[in-house]
Amino acid sequence: MLICPKCKEKLNRIDNSYKCINNHSYDISKYGYVNLLLSKTNAGDDKVMVDARYNFLSKDYYLPLASSIINVLSDYINKDSLILDGGCGTGYYDSVIKSIYPNIIGYDISKDAITKAARLNKDLTYFVASSNDVPLESNLFDCIINIFTPTFEKEIVRLLKDDGILIIVSPKDNHLIELKKSIYKNAYLNEEDIPSFNNLYLDKCVESISKSNLSKEDLDNLIKMTPYFYKTSKDNLDKINSIDCLDVTFAFNIYIYKKRTNC
Ligand SMILES: C[S@@+](CC[C@H](N)C(=O)[O-])C[C@H]1O[C@@H](n2cnc3c(N)ncnc32)[C@H](O)[C@@H]1O
Ligand SMILES: [Zn+2]
């Protein structure tokens, strides 16, 4: 099902590597993933963001979101369905979803993220790749999941079966509002842009909203895994460091798309 990023021929697993008929070869790392990104420059989330995300998610604050995704899936797919987690990050959602839907494959453009995902879910297949050129055969998936990660319609449409679904998760307007209020004088609400596509249509949107009391350490991880860490001045970051705990809202939209029949 994996294809060679150079010549697009099928990849076959031989011992500890994947090879195509043209003798292009990709080693499986000691953590169990394969790097199919041709560019050697590091891309995607860096180690600081990945470690922070991994530590934060390990506390299960986003378990309500993972459970909502499972509920959505139960309306559309069955236990044998094949799921692709695009931009899967550290593999947290896979670790929850696989208890019901075990056939999950994941990729991310960040090697640091995929290393974490492969170590967390040794039973799943992971590879490093970009969502705009995914080294997988066409028409394979019953479901593709994009959680807070860029979506590339052309590849989604190519990879989904005709009756497959795309799930996109993005923040609601009041996501992390208390955190923002504690940093900025005029905390603004996020804009809720509904993603729109030429060859996919929106079937349903479901909300997931929860609130948790976060410790100093949680707040530090949370800020480091968001773009605020890079956009916020040192003075404003210091404001967060002075907080001992904070109730924070987690609010998400889960959009479900279907493929239009003529594509
Ligand atoms: C905000 S994180 C979300 C990770 C994961 N979905 C989660 O929710 O835990 C965004 C992820 O998208 C990845 N990413 C960014 N651009 C990408 C691309 N073009 N192809 C694949 N992954 C990408 C980043 O490396 C990062 O892991
Ligand atoms: Zn090849």
Side-chain angles (χ1 to χ4, degrees):
M1 116 186 14
L2 284 168
I3 58 173
C4 174
K6 287 186 187 140
C7 67
K8 310 290 178 199
E9 294 290 345
K10 265 188 191 175
L11 287 177
N12 295 306
R13 185 166 176 168
I14 299 166
D15 301 327
N16 267 339
S17 50
Y18 283 97
K19 286 191 170 66
C20 71
I21 48 163
N22 295 316
N23 239 359
H24 300 128
S25 178
Y26 308 89
D27 289 342
I28 296 169
S29 80
K30 64 178 172 191
Y31 303 112
Y33 70 83
V34 58
N35 189 347
L36 298 176
L37 199 62
L38 296 179
S39 152
K40 292 282 165 262
T41 46
N42 286 340
D45 282 9
D46 62 21
K47 195 167 182 326
V48 171
M49 291 177 92
V50 165
D51 286 348
R53 181 172 298 278
Y54 183 84
N55 292 335
F56 181 82
L57 291 175
S58 71
K59 301 276 195 78
D60 279 337
Y61 294 123
Y62 283 9
L63 187 57
L65 171 59
S67 304
S68 299
I69 294 172
I70 288 177
N71 275 342
V72 165
L73 290 175
S74 67
D75 286 340
Y76 288 91
I77 63 172
N78 59 54
K79 294 194 187 324
D80 300 324
S81 297
L82 187 57
I83 299 175
L84 177 65
D85 187 358
C88 63
T90 57
Y92 170 75
Y93 298 94
D94 304 337
S95 73
V96 182
I97 294 170
K98 73 180 182 184
S99 63
I100 312 286
Y101 301 98
N103 301 320
I104 307 177
I105 295 174
Y107 71 87
D108 198 285
I109 201 168
S110 158
K111 230 167 88 171
D112 289 315
I114 282 298
T115 303
K116 288 277 191 207
R119 292 179 81 170
L120 181 63
N121 300 300
K122 294 193 173 63
D123 48 338
L124 302 183
T125 298
Y126 285 105
F127 57 94
V128 182
S130 172
S131 295
N132 66 10
D133 186 13
V134 187
L136 283 164
E137 289 175 296
S138 304
N139 299 309
L140 275 183
F141 292 93
D142 300 288
C143 174
I144 298 179
I145 303 179
N146 281 177
I147 307 175
F148 324 124
T149 189
T151 298
F152 290 83
E153 179 179 5
K154 199 162 158 256
E155 282 296 74
I156 299 280
V157 170
R158 180 181 71 79
L159 293 165
L160 274 183
K161 289 181 183 168
D162 285 347
D163 58 352
I165 56 162
L166 165 67
I167 292 188
I168 294 182
V169 179
S170 55
K172 286 188 73 62
D173 57 2
N174 59 340
H175 180 53
L176 307 184
I177 188 65
E178 300 84 354
L179 184 69
K180 284 194 221 165
K181 280 186 178 161
S182 62
I183 308 178
Y184 305 113
K185 244 189 238 141
N186 301 311
Y188 61 93
L189 291 175
N190 299 320
E191 279 183 25
E192 287 185 22
D193 288 331
I194 303 174
S196 74
F197 304 102
N198 292 325
N199 293 312
L200 299 157
Y201 65 91
L202 183 62
D203 188 56
K204 208 200 289 186
C205 177
V206 176
E207 293 181 341
S208 167
I209 301 174
S210 61
K211 205 171 207 173
S212 293
N213 186 264
L214 302 187
S215 69
K216 209 178 190 49
E217 187 194 352
D218 297 332
L219 291 168
D220 184 52
N221 284 327
L222 182 58
I223 198 84
K224 282 186 183 144
M225 69 188 230
T226 67
Y228 303 123
F229 185 58
Y230 297 94
K231 286 193 211 153
T232 306
S233 68
K234 189 178 172 311
D235 281 357
N236 281 337
L237 284 178
D238 286 345
K239 285 187 201 162
I240 301 264
N241 292 334
S242 66
I243 303 172
D244 282 331
C245 61
L246 185 69
D247 281 333
V248 178
T249 299
F250 306 126
F252 309 102
N253 285 317
I254 304 171
Y255 299 103
I256 304 102
Y257 293 83
K258 286 185 172 174
K259 232 169 141 170
R260 293 195 202 280
T261 42
N262 58 348
C263 56

